């Protein structure tokens, strides 16, 4: 039984869709390769002030959700 022929959504090349093909089913194997393999320089670094602000914002979100979920209707 032959493998189905698909057209890549990125480069418009035809390819055979084989079982256990890594990546997306609508992309050829060349286009399915991740662009940044192990490159950690794309991660955004945060300084102490940004971490503190994010922590406070998350705490405020948790408190608001807690109040919405567990408030008593009077």
């Amino acid at each position: 039984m032959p493998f189905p022929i698909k057209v890549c959504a990125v480069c418009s090349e035809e390819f055979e869709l084989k079982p256990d093909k890594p990546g997306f089913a609508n992309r050829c194997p060349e286009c399915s390769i991740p662009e940044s393999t192990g490159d950690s320089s794309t991660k955004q670094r945060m300084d102490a002030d940004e971490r503190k602000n994010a922590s406070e914002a998350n705490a405020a979100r948790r408190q608001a959700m807690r109040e919405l979920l567990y408030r008593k209707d009077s």
Side-chain angles (χ1 to χ4, degrees):
M1 182 166 112
F3 297 118
I5 303 293
K6 295 283 191 170
V7 177
C8 179
V10 177
C11 65
S12 301
E13 295 285 326
E14 290 186 346
F15 67 97
E16 288 184 338
L17 182 60
K18 296 181 180 178
D20 299 326
K21 178 188 96 54
F24 297 103
N26 64 347
R27 293 186 183 177
C28 65
E30 291 81 25
C31 293
S32 292
I33 297 172
E35 292 176 3
S36 60
T37 54
D39 189 14
S40 63
S41 66
T42 59
K43 284 190 174 183
Q44 184 179 8
R45 302 283 183 187
M46 294 174 62
D47 63 358
D49 290 332
E50 291 173 339
R51 283 194 302 269
K52 182 180 176 190
N53 289 340
S55 175
E56 289 173 353
N58 287 335
R61 283 189 203 101
R62 285 193 299 272
Q63 182 65 31
M65 289 301 295
R66 193 175 303 125
E67 289 173 0
L68 286 172
L69 288 171
Y70 301 114
R71 70 178 176 192
K72 297 196 181 213
D73 293 328
S74 299

